[in-house]
Amino acid sequence: MNKVLIPVDDSNNALLALRHAVTTYGKDSHTEIHICNVQPKIYRHIGKFVSKKTIHEWQEERAYFAAKSAAEFLEKSGVSFSFTHVTGDKGKALHDEATRLGCSRIVIGSAKKNTLSRLFENSTTAKLLEISDIPVEVVTGKTLPSLERWGIPALGAGAATALMVAVID
């Protein structure tokens, strides 16, 4: 059985990954599609004022709302699927859920980004690629915006040059 985990939220990148997975794997009767939404962990000091039940209900409601368009797309495509939501760090939570479900692959949508940008962001894709022993298939969206394609590397080069000049003096 081929089990495919697809992280979903209400983004275009998630729907792009979903479309790819349906096209590539969805028509195979030996494939199970599983969509998963990750909700942020609530800090302990907030938990002092709100019950665990209320927090769980709030996270569940947000997860269903975030996965609504993905579920509708899968239903229109005639592909059967299951849905769960988890909490915590996105990369680790998705990996743990894929392991728990016995998934054979993770298909994730990601925006094209500069390596330098990914260095400073908490990229779910980068985290999954780093920690996962399950194959991760990355489906990329549109091309990089001009600022990110040229501006960030130019700023990085400028900063490196300034640092070298400061060290030499």
Side-chain angles (χ1 to χ4, degrees):
M1 181 63 67
N2 184 25
K3 293 184 180 183
V4 180
L5 178 77
I6 307 165
V8 294
D9 52 20
D10 205 18
S11 71
N12 289 333
N13 290 326
L15 288 175
L16 187 66
L18 202 59
R19 283 188 193 102
H20 171 76
V22 166
T23 303
T24 308
Y25 310 109
K27 304 302 178 188
D28 183 3
S29 62
H30 298 293
T31 298
E32 288 181 17
I33 301 284
H34 185 81
I35 59 175
C36 181
N37 178 262
V38 181
Q39 289 295 306
K41 210 170 203 174
I42 302 298
Y43 295 109
R44 272 187 276 155
H45 66 276
I46 294 174
K48 293 177 183 177
F49 304 104
V50 182
S51 73
K52 285 183 181 181
K53 181 183 177 196
T54 303
I55 291 171
H56 179 72
E57 289 172 352
W58 177 75
Q59 288 174 327
E60 188 173 37
E61 182 180 320
R62 284 179 40 118
Y64 281 113
F65 182 75
K68 183 179 178 185
S69 58
E72 288 172 353
F73 173 77
L74 288 168
E75 288 170 357
K76 286 179 187 173
S77 300
V79 175
S80 62
F81 66 97
S82 59
F83 168 71
T84 60
H85 68 91
V86 293
T87 59
D89 173 67
K90 286 184 179 181
K92 180 156 178 20
L94 288 168
H95 177 261
D96 292 348
E97 185 68 0
T99 302
R100 184 185 74 79
L101 294 169
C103 292
S104 54
R105 75 179 56 248
I106 300 169
V107 177
I108 187 168
S110 181
K112 289 184 180 180
K113 292 188 179 184
N114 185 298
T115 306
L116 201 56
S117 297
R118 289 197 189 276
L119 179 67
F120 295 108
E121 289 181 355
N122 184 15
S123 170
T124 303
T125 305
K127 182 70 172 184
L128 271 173
L129 291 170
E130 178 186 328
I131 66 171
S132 184
D133 51 347
I134 300 167
V136 178
E137 190 171 337
V138 180
V139 180
T140 58
K142 297 179 181 179
T143 61
L144 286 170
S146 295
L147 175 64
E148 197 167 331
R149 189 172 348 135
W150 301 106
I152 292 175
L155 285 172
T161 303
L163 185 61
M164 288 188 321
V165 168
V167 170
I168 292 173
D169 286 343

